[in-house]
Every structure is written in C-alpha cells, then in structure tokens.
Amino acid sequence: MSPKNVIFKKTCKDKSVGVFMGKRDFVDRMDSVDPVDGVVLIDPEALAGRKVFVTLSCIFRYGRDDMDVIGIAFRRELYLSTRQVYPPLQDREKGVHTKVQAKLLRKLGNNAYPFFFEFPDNLPCSVALQPAPHDVGKQCAVEFEIKAFSAESQDAKVRKRSTVKLMIRKVQYAPDMQGAPPSVETTKDFVMSDKPLHVKVSLDKQLYYHGETIHAHVNITNNSNKNIKNVVLSVDQVATVVLYSNDSYVKCVDIEDSGDSVSAGATLQKVYKLLPLLANNRERRGIALDGKLKHEDTNLASSSIVKEGVLKEVLGIMVSYKVMVKLIIGGMMGSSEVGLEVPFTLMHPKPEAGRTFSAPDLSGPSDLLPSFTSFSLHFDFLAACSEGEVTMTATKDTSCSH
C-alpha cells in the first residue's frame, strides 16, 4: 500500500480522546518546515462536558524527569503551543484542511475535529544520546510530542487516563548542493632533522549519506630522519550539549588501524576506507542518534545545520563529524604523534516525493539508510466507506510507529 495511506492512531485509556495522524516525520527544509496536522476523535459521553485540547511541545531532556539538582530540573520545554479543538472555536466546514485531514474527517464522522501547528524557525531537530545497556529512565534527548487531553479548562489538572501522547520527529535532509571536497595538510619539523615531514589528507567529497563509505586520501612525504611506525584513521562524532553546560562528547564511531609504516626519506600515497555505522556502536554510551520513535531502529545522528540568525544555544544538542588521521612517530625518547582533522557532513538524502524514507537495503549492514523497519497501521479507506467505521490492520512497513 502506498505510504500516503498510512495512518497513525492512538487513544487514551478512558477512550474519550483519540489522535489520528498521517505522518510522524516532519521535514525542516531550512526555509520552511512541514506543518503538523492531524485529527482528534472524541467520545462526547466519555468527555462528560470537558473540553479537548491538543499541544505541540519540544522538550530538551538532560537526565531523568525526577532528577533535581539545587533546584534545577534536567528537563526544559523549548517550545509549547496549545489549541482547543472541542468545543471548536470555528465552524469545522469553514476551516482549511489538508488532504489527509479531509479524508479522516469524512471517514470518522461528526465527532472528529482537526488540529494544525506550525514549527517556529529556531527549533532543533530530533536527536538523542544513546544510553548504556544498564541505564534506566529517559535518555538525554531533544524530543517532539503531540499531546491530546480532556479537561475542564486548559490550566486545570489533567487526568492521565484522559491524555494521549504521540511522539513525532523533526528531521533535516541533505542540501541539494555539495560543498568543496575538504582537504587539510600540515608540515612538521623535528629537532636534529634538516628536512620536515609533510602530510596531506583529503576526502573525495564534503557530504556523505548514512551507510556510505568514506574515502580518505592520505599523502605522506617523509623527508625527515624519523620513522613513521603506524597510520591510524578514525571517524569521530562530536556531540555538544549547548543548552545547559556546553559539554562535548567525542566518540570514535569507526577506526582503521592500518599498520602502515613510512621510513625516513620515503613516501606513502594511499586511499583508506571508513564506514561509520550504528551497528558497530550499539553498546556505547553517549553516541548521538537521530531521534527515535518507539519500536523502530534509528541511525547515527545527522550533522546539525544551523540556520542563519538562530542562536546555537537553543538547539539543545549539536552534532558534527570529522576524520582524524594520526601518524605515530618513532624516536629515541619514545613515540610522538602528528594529527590532522578533516570535517565532513553526514546526513540523509532527500527521499522521493511523497515518501518519508526509502526502503532499506536489507543485503547490507543493518543501519544502511534508512534502516527503519517497524510496525505501522494502515487506514482501510474502503472499509471505512462501506461500513462507516475505521478499520486498522497491523502490517510490517518501512514507516515508523509508536
């Protein structure tokens, strides 16, 4: 079935409110962000006169919700917007609805009401730091959430049984244009050596997609009297928590210990291959991941792209990548190192029109783009039309579900 027919549904425990959405991934295109739209289905008898509200929130979590240090909670709402959907503040028929909303309103009947939100320009994308296998509670993350609830008023106490929450994601795709291939070089002088060591490292391009092999071109001209004992390359992920403490977590997500040596007066020209994958780092604490929805896999976090005029401090977690090249130099007083850093960008390609993610390549590593396999709900429009009710069937699909 076409992805446009996938509908995500969740209902609160007392059955008074249910949320229906056509997608849960919303794309930030730098100049605009997909609006969040959906439909709320209510049960007037279960509501017993209460109103129904829907909120869109962006939450930065830097520890468990119950943690509190010197009065500072490790949870902060970066954004919160609330809409009253019932009783409606305007005539349902006069409102402007998306195609998915229009179909749902027809199928669900008179007790269905639409909601609509727009993201502000300065919100971060969904990202999380991977917990250790023994960690409990919520992970450090930037998360987005749609919440529908019934209450006497917007500020009244909300009963958990009358609340339904649906996690969503804000994602970015790679820009259309490739930047110039990055290149870094350095010259190192040594005591008691008349000539220097020259090293140049370049990548074949600036932008890589998740699951794509990185080719690092290393050119070493060793005119010194030192021997290079080893050449070690790695891909480092740098995740900086900018909202609270500006802590940085540098994690090696792939390494190539080549064992190559370059004697004094010799040269080396070689292309090394690196492939950063979550599949090889699943047990490592603190690695940044793209925002994850329940019951589905994810991948290493995409590089953060900061919009012009947006303060980095409000972005929660900033992610970047670099190729590190280390030369181990032998000497009479012990070994020393010469290192170079080459930054690059790691992101998802733009999907085909009308699709959220392409199907994963099941023959390759487990997190080749997009590596999202989960259970989702398909909306059976034919059954809804013929029987006047909503029918859901659980089928395996490459879309995300909660």
Side-chain angles (χ1 to χ4, degrees):
M1 185 175 289
S2 172
K4 66 182 180 181
N5 292 334
V6 176
I7 297 295
F8 302 97
K9 171 196 173 184
K10 196 172 182 183
T11 306
C12 64
K13 289 184 178 181
D14 66 6
K15 309 298 182 183
S16 62
V17 179
V19 174
F20 294 75
M21 297 185 69
K23 62 179 181 178
R24 296 172 70 184
D25 287 323
F26 299 88
V27 181
D28 184 345
R29 295 178 172 82
M30 302 300 290
D31 57 345
S32 65
V33 186
D34 290 348
V36 179
D37 63 288
V39 168
V40 170
L41 181 64
I42 68 164
D43 182 342
E45 292 186 5
L47 284 177
R50 298 192 303 272
K51 298 178 180 179
V52 176
F53 302 89
V54 179
T55 65
L56 168 65
S57 60
C58 175
I59 302 166
F60 175 72
R61 185 176 285 106
Y62 194 26
R64 299 195 310 270
D65 287 345
D66 57 353
M67 291 179 64
D68 192 302
V69 178
I70 60 173
I72 300 176
F74 286 86
R75 182 183 185 276
R76 178 174 172 182
E77 284 186 343
L78 300 181
Y79 177 75
L80 177 65
S81 180
T82 304
R83 302 278 191 273
Q84 178 181 318
V85 295
Y86 178 81
L89 299 180
Q90 66 174 1
D91 190 342
R92 193 181 79 166
E93 302 304 324
K94 293 182 179 180
V96 178
H97 306 136
T98 64
K99 291 182 179 179
V100 172
Q101 283 180 325
K103 289 181 179 180
L104 285 170
L105 291 172
R106 287 199 305 269
K107 310 315 175 194
L108 297 177
N110 294 330
N111 289 329
Y113 298 88
F115 63 84
F116 187 90
F117 293 95
E118 290 186 337
F119 287 104
D121 291 335
N122 61 345
L123 290 183
C125 289
S126 301
V127 64
L129 298 186
Q130 180 171 258
H134 60 272
D135 287 348
V136 296
K138 298 285 189 178
Q139 58 190 354
C140 179
V142 174
E143 298 175 334
F144 291 85
E145 179 183 85
I146 286 289
K147 181 174 73 172
F149 62 93
S150 60
E152 283 71 21
S153 67
Q154 180 177 332
D155 300 323
K157 185 177 180 180
V158 180
R159 299 184 303 177
K160 192 172 183 180
R161 288 178 53 83
S162 303
T163 303
V164 56
K165 298 178 181 179
L166 200 60
M167 301 299 297
I168 62 174
R169 290 188 298 192
K170 181 171 175 282
V171 299
Q172 277 182 334
Y173 294 125
D176 294 326
M177 299 295 293
Q178 276 270 4
S183 178
V184 176
E185 56 185 308
T186 187
T187 299
K188 177 70 174 178
D189 293 305
F190 298 97
V191 178
M192 307 296 293
S193 178
D194 295 334
K195 295 183 179 180
L197 164 68
H198 184 78
V199 186
K200 181 178 180 180
V201 181
S202 59
L203 305 182
D204 51 347
K205 55 184 180 178
Q206 185 267 337
L207 172 65
Y208 292 89
Y209 299 143
H210 290 283
E212 191 174 5
T213 300
I214 299 169
H215 295 85
H217 302 256
V218 178
N219 190 336
I220 301 173
T221 303
N222 186 13
N223 293 322
S224 72
N225 58 8
K226 302 289 184 179
N227 293 320
I228 299 174
K229 299 165 61 177
N230 196 7
V231 179
V232 181
L233 292 88
S234 64
V235 176
D236 287 357
Q237 180 197 76
V238 183
T240 304
V241 182
V242 296
L243 188 60
Y244 276 115
S245 58
N246 220 31
D247 292 339
S248 288
Y249 301 86
V250 181
K251 300 290 183 179
C252 173
V253 292
D254 192 37
I255 189 167
E256 172 65 27
D257 192 343
S258 69
D260 292 337
S261 60
V262 185
S263 58
T267 62
L268 173 69
Q269 292 184 354
K270 188 173 179 179
V271 179
Y272 296 91
K273 296 181 179 180
L274 297 160
L275 183 58
L277 294 173
L278 176 58
N280 303 325
N281 296 278
R282 290 192 181 278
E283 306 254 325
R284 302 187 57 208
R285 186 175 188 269
I287 289 180
L289 312 176
D290 272 345
K292 181 180 178 181
L293 300 177
K294 196 174 181 180
H295 302 316
E296 77 164 30
D297 203 357
T298 184
N299 48 262
L300 297 174
S302 299
S303 300
S304 301
I305 298 181
V306 183
K307 297 181 183 180
E308 186 177 352
V310 174
L311 296 176
K312 292 183 179 180
E313 288 73 17
V314 304
L315 296 182
I317 301 174
M318 298 283 297
V319 179
S320 61
Y321 290 89
K322 59 186 178 182
V323 170
M324 287 286 300
V325 179
K326 290 183 180 180
L327 309 184
I328 310 301
I329 313 295
M332 296 179 58
M333 303 299 292
S335 298
S336 59
E337 292 184 358
V338 174
L340 295 89
E341 300 181 0
V342 187
F344 68 95
T345 302
L346 183 66
M347 299 190 77
H348 287 297
K350 287 185 178 180
E352 299 174 12
R355 296 183 63 89
T356 51
F357 286 103
S358 304
D361 179 4
L362 300 179
S363 63
S366 63
D367 68 342
L368 289 183
L369 179 70
S371 72
F372 296 125
T373 303
S374 62
F375 285 93
S376 64
L377 296 175
H378 288 277
F379 188 81
D380 191 341
F381 288 104
L382 294 177
C385 290
S386 61
E387 301 175 12
E389 61 182 10
V390 176
T391 306
M392 295 289 179
T393 56
T395 47
K396 200 170 186 180
D397 189 56
T398 53
S399 301
C400 52
S401 74
H402 196 5

